[in-house]
């Protein structure tokens, strides 16, 4: 009979948001460590996509696909409304064309593949982020090239983008399908270990994204600070938009906020290639910091909300 994962693994998961933030700071503080993590990035990305597919409840995912919020409304807000809002705000703020394009393309990117794992770390429903992410990735080959053309006059190949996404998601889905068919019992029993591997992959990815960041900050500190401020403001603003505007319970709205705020900017970055200006590249690198730092603050908010909700019941029990 399969055994339960050991206690250290189960205890490791709630610390995930803190470890993600530490990974970013380690990458910034120890550049050789970030450089060493660079070659591991493709494997980390694959594991980040694979982990949630191994852990997802297929019945719950099927049910989510029939609901308009995760399957239609949220992906449309992510892929269509967000870049339009970002463009309007960037123009109102008087940002230059490069930074405006950077904000728009970051907001046009599909949700980060790690959002499902982050949601699970925070005790939230991982099904909605996974469904919204997969649907958004299906829309990306259409919406991302349009955003690049309209706001920057850049030409992206939709087919190349679609093939890249299909290779990433399709490969992970194939592995997950085989594993579910032949080792479903082990997957269920060792779910905590799978989550632990996913968190570790996220930490490796966080380290790798900081490669070259310290040198870029040193080369133009003023621009780097501006990009960091904009990246945190954009991520937090999109999360607030999701949490305050969209319907649902507190936890559902927080989950929607994570989907809106955390984007797979690396996908757009790689699609741009040499067309990415230094300002775009610096902003895209800066977007990784809030993705890995803000979940710790979301965790604090959720914990405080939970304690406040339970406090009246505790007081009643004492009386």
């Amino acid at each position: 009979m399969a055994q339960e994962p050991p206690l250290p693994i189960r205890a490791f998961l709630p610390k995930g948001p803190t470890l993600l933030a530490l990974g970013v700071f380690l990458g910034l503080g120890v550049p050789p460590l970030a450089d060493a993590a660079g070659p591991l990035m493709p494997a980390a990305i694959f594991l980040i996509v694979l982990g949630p597919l191994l852990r997802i409840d297929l019945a719950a995912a099927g049910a989510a696909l029939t609901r308009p919020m995760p399957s239609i409304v949220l992906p449309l807000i992510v892929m269509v409304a967000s870049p339009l809002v970002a463009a309007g705000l960037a123009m109102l703020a008087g940002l230059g064309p490069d930074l405006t394009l950077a904000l728009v393309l970051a907001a046009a990117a599909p949700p980060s593949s790690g959002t499902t794992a982050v949601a699970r770390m925070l005790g939230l429903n991982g099904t909605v982020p996974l469904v919204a992410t997969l649907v958004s990735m299906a829309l990306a080959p259409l919406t991302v090239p349009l955003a690049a053309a309209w706001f920057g006059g850049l030409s992206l190949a939709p087919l190349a983008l679609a093939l890249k996404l299909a290779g990433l998601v399709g490969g992970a889905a194939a592995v997950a399908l085989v594993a579910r068919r032949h080792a479903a019992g082990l997957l269920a029993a060792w779910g905590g270990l799978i989550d632990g591997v996913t968190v570790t992959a996220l930490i490796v990815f966080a380290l790798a994204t900081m490669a070259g960041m310290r040198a870029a900050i040193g080369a133009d500190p003023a621009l780097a600070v501006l990009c960091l401020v904009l990246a945190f403001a954009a991520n937090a603003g999109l999360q607030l938009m999701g949490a305050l505007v969209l319907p649902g319970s507190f936890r559902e709205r927080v989950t929607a906020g994570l989907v809106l705020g955390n984007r797979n900017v690396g996908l757009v970055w790689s699609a741009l290639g040499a067309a990415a200006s230094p300002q775009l590249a610096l902003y895209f690198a800066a977007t990784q910091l809030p993705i890995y730092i803000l979940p710790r603050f979301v965790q604090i908010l959720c914990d405080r909300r939970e304690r406040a909700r339970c406090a009246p019941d505790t007081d009643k029990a004492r009386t």
Side-chain angles (χ1 to χ4, degrees), residues 36-157:
L40 300 174
M41 185 181 282
I45 293 172
F46 183 79
L47 289 174
I48 290 167
V49 177
L50 176 62
L53 291 175
L54 291 173
R55 296 283 282 136
I56 197 67
D57 184 331
L58 294 178
L65 278 171
T66 65
R67 290 162 44 206
M69 179 55 69
S71 63
I72 299 174
V73 177
L74 192 51
L76 286 177
I77 293 174
V78 168
M79 302 303 294
V80 179
S82 293
L84 294 177
V85 170
L89 292 176
M91 292 173 184
L92 285 175
L95 297 178
D98 272 2
L99 282 179
T100 296
L101 178 61
L103 260 73
V104 170
L105 289 180
S112 168
S113 304
T115 300
T116 301
V118 171
R120 290 179 60 84
M121 281 183 221
L122 298 172
L124 303 171
N125 183 355
T127 303
V128 168
L130 181 60
V131 170
T133 297
L134 293 176
V135 175
S136 297
M137 284 183 172
L139 293 174
L142 173 64
T143 58
V144 173
L146 284 176
W150 287 347
F151 296 100
L154 301 177
S155 177
L156 296 182

Side-chain angles (χ1 to χ4, degrees), residues 133-301:
T133 297
L134 293 176
V135 175
S136 297
M137 284 183 172
L139 293 174
L142 173 64
T143 58
V144 173
L146 284 176
W150 287 347
F151 296 100
L154 301 177
S155 177
L156 296 182
L159 180 58
L161 192 58
L163 289 175
K164 184 173 293 188
L165 286 167
L168 175 63
V169 177
V175 172
L177 182 63
V178 172
R180 281 177 170 275
R181 177 168 295 181
H182 297 288
L186 284 175
L187 292 178
W190 286 84
L193 177 60
I194 295 170
D195 287 343
V197 171
T198 306
V199 173
T200 302
L202 281 165
I203 294 169
V204 170
F205 185 80
L207 278 169
T209 56
M210 292 301 101
M213 186 67 175
R214 186 167 169 178
I217 292 173
D220 194 340
L223 177 61
V225 170
L226 176 59
C227 287
L228 285 170
V229 170
L230 288 173
F232 274 93
N235 189 307
L238 286 168
Q239 290 204 45
L240 282 173
M241 184 174 79
L244 297 177
V245 174
L246 295 175
S249 66
F250 171 77
R251 300 179 77 81
E252 289 171 338
R253 288 184 281 117
V254 169
T255 303
L258 285 171
V259 174
L260 278 169
N262 295 340
R263 303 302 185 89
N264 191 350
V265 177
L267 178 70
V268 178
W269 195 352
S270 64
L272 285 173
S277 70
Q279 282 194 347
L280 260 72
L282 184 56
Y283 179 77
F284 287 164
T287 61
Q288 302 306 305
L289 274 81
I291 288 176
Y292 294 104
I293 292 173
L294 290 183
R296 180 68 184 103
F297 293 93
V298 175
Q299 184 181 47
I300 293 171
L301 177 65

